[in-house]
Amino acid sequence: MKINLLDLQAQYKTIKEEIDNAIHQVLDSSVYILGPNVKKLENSIAEYTGVKHGIGVANGTDALLLALEAIGIQPGDEVITTPFTFFASAETTSVLGATPVFADILPDSLCINPEEIEKCITERTKAIIPVHIFGQMCDMDKIMDIARKYNLFVIEDCAQAIGAEYKGRRAGSIGDIGTYSFFPTKNLGGYGDGGMVVTNNDELAERVKLLRAHGAKEKYTYVAIGHNSRLDELQAAILNVKFKYINQWNEARNIKAKIYNDLISGSKLVTPTELSGNKHIYHMYVVQSYRRDEIIAFLKENGIFTGVYYPLPVHLQQVYEYLGYREGDLPVAEDACKKTFALPLYPEIELEKQEYVVDKIKEFFNR
Ligand SMILES: *Cc1c(COP(=O)(O)O)cnc(C)c1O
C-alpha cells in the first residue's frame, strides 16, 4: 500500500464535473481578473468568517503583507509572532523593513503563548500576528486583552484555519484583520495561488483594496504605492465550487483525526491536543515523538509518507541570524521542531489506510 500525506486527486475526482464547468465558464467569459467570481468569493468568505469585508489577493503571503501595510507597519516597528509557523508569518514583517519578534509557544496546542507575548512588548511593538497553527485557534481572549492593554493591532494568520472556531467565533473575525491562503494544500485550496484579507474595519478594507491594485483609486489615478496582488477569476471560480464543501470537508478531517486518536491511544506517540471551546479543523494531524526521524524512515519503508512541520523554528533560520537569537532562547518551539510530524490526513482518506498507518506505528514501537 502507498499512502501520501495528502491526496488532492481524490478530492478533484469528487467534484470534477463542477470544477471543469466553472473553469470553462470563465474561459468563455473573457473576464479573467477581479471579476464576478472574485466578488462572489469575497462576499461568501466574509459572511462565512462573520465580518463585513473580504478582499481577494494573489496569495496568503500577500494577504499578510497587505494587512501589515494597511495598519501602517514601517521600518523600526516590531511585530510579535510565533517561531513555530510557516516562514511567511514573519517574512512579511521583514519585507516592510520592520522587525519580527518571536514569542515562544505552548507545549500542548503548539500555538503562541500569550504570557510570552507580553514579555516581548517594547515601545516599538505595533502588532501581534497569532497563527492558528494546524487548524486550531490561539487563545484569542488573552491575546485581545494584551492588544487592548498596549494598543496593538492583531492580524490573525488563518492560512491553516478557515472555519476553525474559538468560543463560537470563526478564525479571522476576532482580530483587526484576518488572512487566508488558498494554496492548493490548504483546507480550502485552489489549483494555483490565491489568498484573502478579511476585516470588519471599513478603512482597513479600503486600504487593502488600494494596495492590491497599484494604489489606484480609479483607473490610472494613483494615491498610494501599491502592488499587483489580484486574485484571478479562474481560481475564484474553482474556490466558489469548493467553498460549498468546506464545512463537510472540515468535519471529515475532524472525524478522521478522532479515528487516529482512538487507534493511536495506548501507543507511545503523543496525539494532538484539542483545547476546550475550540473547533479544530485539522489542517494537519500532528503527532509527537523524540524518535520521529526513525519512525518517519520506518513508515516510508512501508509506503507511508509523512511531513515534518516544522524542522527548524523561524528564529533560528540563517536569514534571521542578525536578530541575535540563540538556541535555547525559545525552548518550547525548539523542542517541538525536534519531535513533531504530520500523519496522512485528508477528507477522503479511507479507514483501512488509517488503520494501516497506525498498525505500522505500533509495529515500529514493538520491534
Ligand atoms: C501557507 C501559509 C502562509 C502563506 O500562504 P501562501 O498562499 O502560500 O502565500 C502563511 N502563513 C501560514 C501559517 C501558512 O500556512
Side-chain angles (χ1 to χ4, degrees):
M1 198 163 350
K2 180 170 182 250
I3 307 175
N4 287 321
L5 180 64
L6 292 171
D7 186 349
L8 299 180
Q9 276 302 315
Q11 184 161 87
Y12 175 54
K13 277 185 198 143
T14 67
I15 50 172
K16 180 173 165 30
E17 220 182 284
E18 275 183 286
I19 293 283
D20 294 1
N21 285 341
I23 287 174
H24 282 105
Q25 273 175 26
V26 173
L27 297 184
D28 287 334
S29 78
S30 30
V31 179
Y32 300 129
I33 294 202
L34 292 186
N37 283 291
V38 170
K39 195 77 233 156
K40 183 178 171 198
L41 186 71
E42 289 176 336
N43 291 336
S44 304
I45 302 267
E47 191 194 336
Y48 181 77
T49 304
V51 298
K52 272 158 76 180
H53 307 281
I55 304 112
V57 297
N59 53 65
T61 305
D62 275 8
L64 282 167
L65 182 67
L66 270 54
L68 286 163
E69 258 187 284
I71 63 169
I73 295 300
Q74 47 186 343
D77 292 343
E78 292 176 359
V79 177
I80 299 171
T81 193
T82 166
F84 191 71
T85 180
F86 178 63
F87 187 54
S89 311
E91 177 192 28
T92 42
T93 292
S94 304
V95 167
L96 295 176
T99 306
V101 175
F102 299 100
D104 210 353
I105 59 170
L106 292 159
D108 50 0
S109 66
L110 306 170
C111 282
I112 196 165
N113 181 344
E115 281 167 27
E116 297 297 324
I117 292 177
E118 199 156 7
K119 289 185 203 161
C120 292
I121 291 172
T122 71
E123 282 183 352
R124 292 163 176 260
T125 308
K126 290 283 155 50
I128 309 168
I129 304 181
V131 180
H132 304 316
I133 202 76
F134 306 139
Q136 171 158 251
M137 287 178 70
C138 303
D139 191 340
M140 290 307 293
D141 278 351
K142 286 192 185 151
I143 292 170
M144 294 312 291
D145 281 348
I146 294 167
R148 277 184 212 108
K149 186 169 159 191
Y150 296 95
N151 198 21
L152 307 174
F153 284 102
V154 174
I155 297 173
E156 293 176 66
D157 183 342
C158 308
Q160 304 184 3
I162 189 164
E165 289 176 19
Y166 172 86
K167 299 184 181 173
R169 295 177 70 182
R170 288 233 163 99
S173 69
I174 301 178
D176 299 280
I177 300 186
T179 63
Y180 291 120
S181 163
F182 306 127
F183 187 75
T185 60
K186 302 289 157 91
N187 285 31
L188 180 61
Y191 295 125
D193 277 310
M196 194 170 289
V197 174
V198 289
T199 181
N200 256 323
N201 184 310
D202 299 341
E203 267 174 59
L204 292 177
E206 265 321 296
R207 190 81 197 149
V208 171
K209 257 185 218 162
L210 270 184
L211 292 170
R212 83 168 162 186
H214 302 290
K217 189 138 196 127
E218 294 150 39
K219 224 175 180 184
Y220 306 122
T221 313
Y222 306 98
V223 298
I225 301 296
H227 302 265
N228 176 359
S229 183
R230 299 171 297 217
L231 184 59
D232 70 65
E233 282 285 293
L234 276 176
Q235 293 311 323
I238 289 161
L239 290 162
N240 280 325
V241 171
K242 288 186 140 200
F243 174 72
K244 294 188 285 182
Y245 301 97
I246 188 64
N247 281 342
Q248 184 186 318
W249 287 335
N250 279 347
E251 195 56 36
R253 284 174 184 270
N254 195 288
I255 288 167
K256 280 152 204 232
K258 300 288 154 61
I259 291 173
Y260 267 141
N261 286 348
D262 288 344
L263 292 172
I264 290 170
S265 78
S267 91
K268 290 187 179 113
L269 213 55
V270 177
T271 54
T273 305
E274 202 172 311
L275 302 173
S276 74
N278 268 9
K279 187 166 145 195
H280 198 321
I281 58 149
Y282 289 96
H283 171 59
M284 293 281 176
Y285 183 86
V286 173
V287 292
Q288 305 187 24
S289 165
Y290 285 116
R291 297 183 69 189
R292 173 184 72 192
D293 296 348
E294 291 169 71
I295 301 172
I296 288 176
F298 180 78
L299 291 178
K300 196 170 163 193
E301 281 166 26
N302 287 283
I304 299 163
F305 295 86
T306 55
V308 174
Y309 302 96
Y310 294 89
L312 187 67
V314 183
H315 68 287
L316 297 180
Q317 293 290 340
Q318 186 193 320
V319 67
Y320 281 139
E321 242 170 52
Y322 75 97
L323 293 175
Y325 286 96
R326 293 279 169 274
E327 206 167 333
D329 285 346
L330 302 170
V332 185
E334 291 164 25
D335 191 49
C337 288
K338 294 188 180 100
K339 60 186 183 183
T340 51
F341 66 108
L343 298 182
L345 181 84
Y346 43 91
E348 301 78 14
I349 193 171
E350 299 94 338
L351 179 60
E352 57 160 345
K353 287 189 176 164
Q354 290 191 274
E355 286 171 341
Y356 178 75
V357 170
V358 178
D359 282 349
K360 290 296 160 192
I361 289 169
K362 290 190 168 158
E363 195 179 313
F364 171 85
F365 282 113
N366 290 330
R367 280 187 309 172

